[in-house]
Amino acid sequence: MTTRKHTALPKARTLVEALPWLTRHHGKTVVIKFGGNAMVDEELKRAFAQDVVFLRHAGLRPVVVHGGGPQISAQLELLGIASEFKGGLRVTSPEAMDVVRMVLVGQVQRELVGLLNEHGPLAVGMTGEDAHLMSATKHYADVDGERVDIGRVGEITEIDPGAVRTLLDDGRIPVISSIARSSDAGEPSGVFNVNADTAASALAAALGAETLMVLTDVEGLYEDWPHSDEVIPRLTVSQLETLLPELASGMVPKMRGCLHAVRSGVRTARVIDGRVQHSILLEIFTDEGIGTMVVPDPDPCSDGAEATAHHTAQGTE
């Protein structure tokens, strides 16, 4: 007697393939930097929200950190406020800072919280100002070796993750805008615009996260850009350190954030293509994975040898 062939069997195989990854990541904190096309494409936004809710119901503890570059630029243009970049960072006047705050908290965050909460009372929005989560001091850009004032742009000096941990323990999904309170004694009520990649990596380190995931608009870190589109699947901290000076400017804060996170005890940091629907699930729950993963240097006592990355690696935005 033959068994009937069930058409749904491939779905069961897919679920079984995810089992070891579900076991490995259960109860672990995952910090996700939401950015790139995933922030502006409606289908990608909804897929992202589904992925994050799936992580939560699969037993992980996701935290989302977001910026909002395209939305901020559009609003500044609408209001006739000049927008320029120096050293890869947005020059943020006090007038522009008001717009940044309004867009990040009132537009980008609210939309994402709404998408997540379509699946239940899960997401809670906050900024780096809330509960002194992120403190920062004024950051100066380096342009051709010169120190340049770029306004209300901050460099994180301290993370107090207590409020985020409380939300995670309560089963919530924190959604955090990359705005920090000033730690400068002369302006206790001041705020700074903080690079979201930097904010996500600092928070991942403070939370002792299992993984930092950075969504971007490329497949990962390329081996020999623009001559090749081959992606480096895996890098150690030392290999990435060597490559950093050669990277395209748009990838520098992302890879520097990955480097900081892994150096600070985060198990892995990954740059993944946010243009691919459900890229987060593909990266965490499948054998293949996508993007570029940064891992700690191997223990010198172990026998495992790491593949050496090409020193011509480049990234692009």
Side-chain angles (χ1 to χ4, degrees):
M1 183 177 176
T2 57
T3 349
R4 183 178 300 175
K5 187 173 181 180
H6 290 282
T7 55
L9 192 56
K11 295 180 182 178
R13 291 193 180 114
T14 300
L15 291 172
V16 169
E17 181 185 333
L19 181 59
W21 309 108
L22 283 165
T23 304
R24 176 178 296 180
H25 295 297
H26 188 83
K28 301 294 176 60
T29 299
V30 179
V31 176
I32 307 163
K33 189 271 177 156
F34 181 52
N37 275 343
M39 295 189 72
V40 293
D41 180 283
E42 294 303 321
E43 287 187 10
L44 290 174
K45 276 191 278 194
R46 288 199 170 275
F48 174 82
Q50 289 170 345
D51 285 6
V52 173
V53 172
F54 185 96
L55 295 184
R56 158 67 175 72
H57 286 301
L60 285 78
R61 292 156 54 97
V63 178
V64 179
V65 178
H66 71 88
Q71 295 90 335
I72 292 167
S73 295
Q75 188 64 28
L76 288 172
E77 184 178 355
L78 186 66
L79 296 173
I81 300 173
S83 181
E84 62 174 324
F85 289 81
K86 292 183 179 178
L89 297 169
R90 186 188 300 275
V91 178
T92 309
S93 65
E95 187 181 24
M97 186 66 227
D98 289 338
V99 175
V100 168
R101 211 174 185 183
M102 176 182 70
V103 170
L104 292 185
V105 183
Q107 179 184 337
V108 179
Q109 183 187 97
R110 296 321 309 162
E111 183 179 20
L112 182 53
V113 165
L115 287 171
L116 291 165
N117 284 343
E118 287 180 5
H119 305 278
L122 300 170
V124 177
M126 45 186 314
T127 79
E129 302 171 70
D130 296 328
H132 290 188
L133 172 58
M134 296 179 189
S135 300
T137 190
K138 187 178 178 66
H139 176 75
Y140 292 86
D142 185 339
V143 180
D144 298 327
E146 289 188 22
R147 192 170 181 249
V148 177
D149 188 340
I150 50 175
R152 304 299 306 175
V153 175
E155 182 174 333
I156 291 177
T157 55
E158 187 180 354
I159 298 282
D160 181 351
V164 175
R165 285 202 178 102
T166 299
L167 288 170
L168 290 171
D169 290 343
D170 193 38
R172 309 299 175 180
I173 301 172
V175 178
I176 301 162
S177 302
S178 57
I179 300 169
R181 65 182 284 270
S182 173
S183 60
D184 294 337
E187 50 163 19
S189 61
V191 292
F192 287 108
N193 182 17
V194 176
N195 179 278
D197 298 310
T198 305
S201 67
L203 183 58
L207 288 169
E210 171 79 1
T211 297
L212 167 67
M213 305 184 77
V214 179
L215 270 67
T216 186
D217 285 342
V218 293
E219 296 172 276
L221 194 62
Y222 295 125
E223 286 197 17
D224 189 15
W225 183 264
H227 308 294
S228 166
D229 61 358
E230 288 294 313
V231 172
I232 303 172
R234 183 183 174 96
L235 278 170
T236 65
V237 162
S238 293
Q239 289 167 347
L240 178 54
E241 231 173 358
T242 303
L243 298 177
L244 265 178
E246 304 173 23
L247 300 185
S249 60
M251 284 299 281
V252 169
K254 293 169 177 52
M255 300 315 300
R256 188 176 283 145
C258 289
L259 184 63
H260 170 75
V262 176
R263 269 183 180 160
S264 303
V266 176
R267 186 182 176 94
T268 63
R270 310 149 190 249
V271 173
I272 62 175
D273 193 345
R275 301 169 301 178
V276 177
Q277 283 199 14
H278 305 299
S279 56
I280 292 172
L281 300 187
L282 290 170
E283 178 64 18
I284 290 187
F285 294 124
T286 68
D287 294 334
E288 292 82 8
I290 58 173
T292 297
M293 179 190 295
V294 180
V295 298
D297 287 324
D299 186 332
C301 299
S302 70
D303 295 328
E306 295 285 343
T308 303
H310 293 280
H311 286 188
T312 51
Q314 284 290 324
T316 184
E317 271 290 66

